[in-house]
Amino acid sequence: MNKERKNIGLAILLIFSSLLVCLDRIFWQSSPDILINDKVNIQQSLMQIYHASTLIGIDIFAIGLGFLLQSSEDKSWSSAIKYWIYTIFVGTLGLLILTLFSREFSIVDLYNMLFPFVRNTYGILSGIVLGMLTLPLFNKGVKKYENIIKLSLLLVIIAPTIFNKDIFGFVNGTVFGYILVNLGFYGNYIRSKLSVKKVVTRIILLLLTNIIVVSLMPEFSKAVHNDLSTAGRFTNSASALLILLAFYIVLLVSKIKVNVKNGYVDFIIYTAWALLVISNNQTLLNKLIEYNRKTAQSVTRWILAKDIKEILWLMLIVILSDFIILGICKLIGISQKISNFYDIRADEELSQFFYRITNGIKSWIKAHRVYLATIAWGYFLAIFSFLMMNTKWTVAPNVDVKYNIFTYTIGVRQAMVLVNAIIFLLFLKFIFSLTNRYWFSTIVASLLWIIWVVANRIKIGIRNEPILPSELSMIKAWRSLLGMVDGWILLLVVSVIVITIPIIYFLEKKYRLPKQKWYSRVAWLIIIPVIFSSVTFLNHEKSVIHIISGGIGNDPTFYNQLAGAQKNGPTQQFLNNIDVEVMKKPSGYSKERMQQLKDKYRKVATDINKNRVNNFKDQVVIFNLSESFSDPNRVPGIQLSNDPIPYIRQLKQKTTSGTMISAGYGGGTANMEYMSLTGLDLSNFSPTLPTPYTQLVTHRKYNPNIAQSFPEVVAIHPYQGVYYSRTEVYKRFGFDRFYYLGSKYKIKYKKKIDRSPYLSDETAYKNALDQVKKANNGEFINLVTMQNHFPYDRNYYNNSDKYTPVGEGIDDYTRNAVQDFSTGLSYTDTAVKDFISEIDNLDKPVTLVFYGDHLPGIYGGVDMTKYGIQLHSTDYFIYSNKYAREHGARNLVSKTEYVGPNDFIALMAKQTNSKVNAYQALLTEVQEKLPVATLNTQKSTVNSYNTHTEFVDNNGKIVKYKSLSKKQKQLWEDYKLLQYDITAGKNYWKNN
């Protein structure tokens, strides 16, 4: 290490200057009120002086580092590489540490840390590093052209200040950092030519000049422009006055010689650099400030409280980074390796240096070619696993977009491809650490990966979904599973295994690679299982692994497991489904307790049934989930020029009807469907179970639901059946037939409206009417429409301007979307009218339970924290036809203004005057005696992680659990016990 680097004076100055930079970045990030106050006063002038005193920090740092580096020409290239690697390490480590506290992460942030130059993450620091790289050229040039270099530096520094324009575009950018560090090189070169007296004199003059100019500029700005637009002309780090002051301060400190051990100086310099890394990284700075932010009542409070606290956070992160990174570097000797690799000798031409470096890189690649090839092979296998999840050459992750599978995999999902490649390489490394045989480990890991991918592909061909963790128990039935696989596939697998055995033997003998040390093997055998065990927290909303994986782009897509495998790869999608807790076990759950509950509600059922005259087996009941059906006029700030649903609005006045509180906004269809069919509440489930259809129903044999009370059960959905695993769900629910596009039970009367890609509600009702007419006795029909599904900005319908919304804050998107959506509602209104007219003419009891599942996600301008109830309120009604009313069905049911989808079983039983069992009796008690339970209406819970339960009373007001009566609380506990027993418990209710 060069002797100049032993001078601790400049190192301490670098620390001090980096703290000034931190103070500047943190304080001015808060936009203190004093700066936007248009008044000129002493406070304003003092603030300008304070600001200038912090802005000079970056100037002092860059110039000071230039002083330290100038005499180390032979080490400049290795220094540049060291600092750049250190920058990447500090940025990445800082991001991970702040992610722990901020609970926010984005793959873009990680890119900014790993590729700081191409992402322009640190403009000034990039310039300083470039200055290090060109230091040999500077030293050669300054000996020949000192005056030219001096004048050039002065011109670049002074010109922007004179003309008050950033004419070189270098303020706080790469060019700025490059100029400052070169100014430091020049300062060191002329240091001996200036006496201490001259330096001190110039510092005093520049200091006074800065104070006068900076403090008076607000007054001048006000006088000339009548505002403060030029008040900060000299209050910026590119001000020539500040730069020159910084230059002479560094020059003065460099003349004070206090030598200490190299290690101390290095640590101080690296700490100062790390502070600059974080304070000049907007991502890290924003995370830090957001984590600590509280409303500042005054500038003074901010300075004294917030700045200090956040700088201490920076120091903590930086020192931790220093110890970790420098410790690692020391352990593996990376510092010396870089020095040896990148050293440039004074007598060596740059062309010779580049030639030597190129050869060194070639030699390194050749020495590590096998491992590099393995990494490339892992990346290829990751891409292969993604492509194999597709049955066509195109993929549609959403209903309104379509990609070529290669473009989607390699382009859109690149981050997840890399994640899967890393998973494979870790798996390979684990086997290698176990066996210490490289070729054996690589080939076995590859074969297992390929078999795993092919197995997923086979299952997709059979069930339209990948392999899930819950299905591992089926391994016990491996004989029957193999029986489902084509014989040629099994023969191919066996042949490949037989062929690879001699290949492994040959490679291990002929191309034996160095074995791992025992301590390295032990370390990896501990580290890799720890890494994989983190997936047990993958779906915990606040866990680090969840935040990071989500930021990288992991999208579990629980509502469509096939789409999840196409987005994330089969391996990551499998891992996504490991961390699933159905429901927390309620206190008091036991076989005896469930028997008591069943006896209790049998008695309740007996009391209810005394006044009921009908049975479900004699009724035709239709549960009609109308996609996104909701009244736009209910949304705050929206008023339509015409009413799109006049018939339904009039019908709701005559029959059981009201408002349904949806647990979703803009999505969550299958969740509302699940609640309506089972009577169970989504908010009782664990946060790791956001989509019961795909995560719960498809893996359980016992799934009690309303369909099981009818002799014949049919589902109709005029769209694809793959979404939410409906084909499997309806089988588990006991449905006899499922009509969807592509099924063996055909959708008839296919009609679309104008340019809409979806089959109309008229189509849905005609198909449903066919089933109703065919029913010999009782029948249950689950009808899920598709007509009003998003997107709403494609101008699907003609004459949509008939329903133009008016109100505050309506932008073009909202206006167009609401118009198109409302036009679709008008077609639904007509279709419902015609359908009810048809069923009124039938001589059989027919009851229609009509409900919208959620609002469309087109009201972005409405504050959900303020209008959460309105944004989760859809319309519903229950209508019994004339024949049903003549045979005991009621026309109206009381206390139905606000209900949940889980209330429809009880409401339908009341309306049809049908007898209930103990299960349905409990649901009736819940509907009658408890407020509506739902998820937090202040959040857009669209197939996302369940939040706390919220209660809504019959007036549409939120009520707290503690305000419920003792009997209501007991009823709620009974309900949770039933739900737990059915979905996560031992099914005592059934077994008893």
Side-chain angles (χ1 to χ4, degrees), residues 659 661 869 896-899 931-932 952-959:
T659 301
I661 300 297
I869 295 294
T896 62
E897 183 55 37
Y898 285 88
V899 304
V932 178
V952 180
D953 65 17
N954 211 43
N955 296 314
K957 303 295 183 183
I958 296 174
V959 294

Side-chain angles (χ1 to χ4, degrees), residues 8 58 82 137 194 223 237 242 251 302 366 448 480 515 573 606 657 660-661 669 693 742 815 818 883 914 930 953 957:
I8 198 171
I58 191 64
K82 288 176 189 176
L137 294 176
L194 292 174
S237 54
L242 279 183
L251 196 58
W302 184 271
K366 184 177 180 180
L448 292 175
S480 56
K515 293 187 176 182
Q573 187 64 10
T606 300
S657 65
M660 188 199 85
I661 300 297
T669 298
Y693 260 22
R815 181 180 298 103
V818 172
Y883 185 92
S914 297
L930 284 176
D953 65 17
K957 303 295 183 183

Side-chain angles (χ1 to χ4, degrees), residues 382-390 409 420 566-569:
I383 292 176
F384 166 74
S385 69
F386 274 73
L387 297 177
M388 286 291 287
M389 296 304 98
N390 299 277
T409 299
N420 279 261
Q566 292 166 342
K567 289 180 179 181
N568 311 308

Side-chain angles (χ1 to χ4, degrees), residues 155-203:
L155 174 64
V156 174
I157 292 167
I158 294 173
T161 305
I162 293 174
F163 296 104
N164 194 29
K165 292 288 183 181
D166 185 15
I167 57 178
F168 301 108
F170 76 156
V171 174
N172 291 325
T174 303
V175 177
F176 186 49
Y178 184 78
I179 294 297
L180 289 179
V181 78
N182 275 271
L183 190 60
F185 297 157
Y186 179 75
N188 199 333
Y189 180 77
I190 66 166
R191 180 179 54 176
S192 60
K193 299 178 182 180
L194 292 174
S195 65
V196 173
K197 183 178 179 180
K198 287 183 179 180
V199 172
V200 171
T201 302
R202 293 179 186 184
I203 288 175

Side-chain angles (χ1 to χ4, degrees), residues 781-948:
I781 300 173
N782 190 55
L783 175 64
V784 181
T785 69
M786 194 67 185
Q787 174 188 290
N788 295 320
H789 200 281
F790 85 93
Y792 307 104
D793 59 348
R794 306 299 171 84
N795 191 28
Y796 285 154
Y797 303 115
N798 298 327
N799 304 317
S800 60
D801 55 355
K802 181 180 178 181
Y803 304 103
T804 301
V806 294
E808 295 181 5
I810 296 177
D811 56 20
D812 289 341
Y813 169 80
T814 304
R815 181 180 298 103
N816 295 333
V818 172
Q819 284 181 175
D820 229 37
F821 171 66
S822 300
T823 306
L825 294 182
S826 71
Y827 285 111
T828 299
D829 192 65
T830 301
V832 168
K833 180 179 180 180
D834 294 341
F835 183 59
I836 287 181
S837 177
E838 292 282 355
I839 63 175
D840 265 339
N841 293 325
L842 298 177
D843 290 331
K844 57 179 66 178
V846 181
T847 295
L848 173 66
V849 178
F850 174 99
Y851 65 99
D853 53 342
H854 54 74
L855 273 73
I858 57 177
Y859 306 112
V862 183
D863 185 356
M864 189 167 291
T865 61
K866 186 176 181 181
Y867 299 109
I869 295 294
Q870 291 91 326
L871 292 177
H872 288 83
S873 295
T874 69
D875 297 83
Y876 88 94
F877 67 80
I878 303 175
Y879 178 81
S880 294
N881 71 346
K882 182 179 178 183
Y883 185 92
R885 297 196 303 272
E886 291 173 348
H887 291 78
R890 302 171 184 174
N891 197 38
L892 287 167
V893 175
S894 61
K895 296 182 179 179
T896 62
E897 183 55 37
Y898 285 88
V899 304
N902 53 313
D903 291 323
F904 289 141
I905 293 174
L907 289 169
M908 178 273 294
K910 283 187 191 179
Q911 178 105 351
T912 58
N913 210 0
S914 297
K915 296 179 180 181
V916 296
N917 57 29
Y919 179 98
Q920 294 155 354
L922 174 52
L923 298 183
T924 302
E925 290 281 280
V926 169
Q927 187 274 317
E928 290 181 344
K929 298 178 180 179
L930 284 176
V932 178
T934 187
L935 298 179
N936 183 0
T937 56
Q938 275 68 56
K939 289 186 70 175
S940 173
T941 47
V942 185
N943 293 314
S944 60
Y945 295 85
N946 302 338
T947 52
H948 66 270

Side-chain angles (χ1 to χ4, degrees), residues 23 66 169 191 204 281 364 388 475 557 564 656 663 694 738 795 949 985:
L23 194 62
R191 180 179 54 176
I204 294 172
N281 185 313
W364 184 87
M388 286 291 287
I475 292 176
T557 320
T656 304
T694 57
F738 179 22
N795 191 28
T949 303

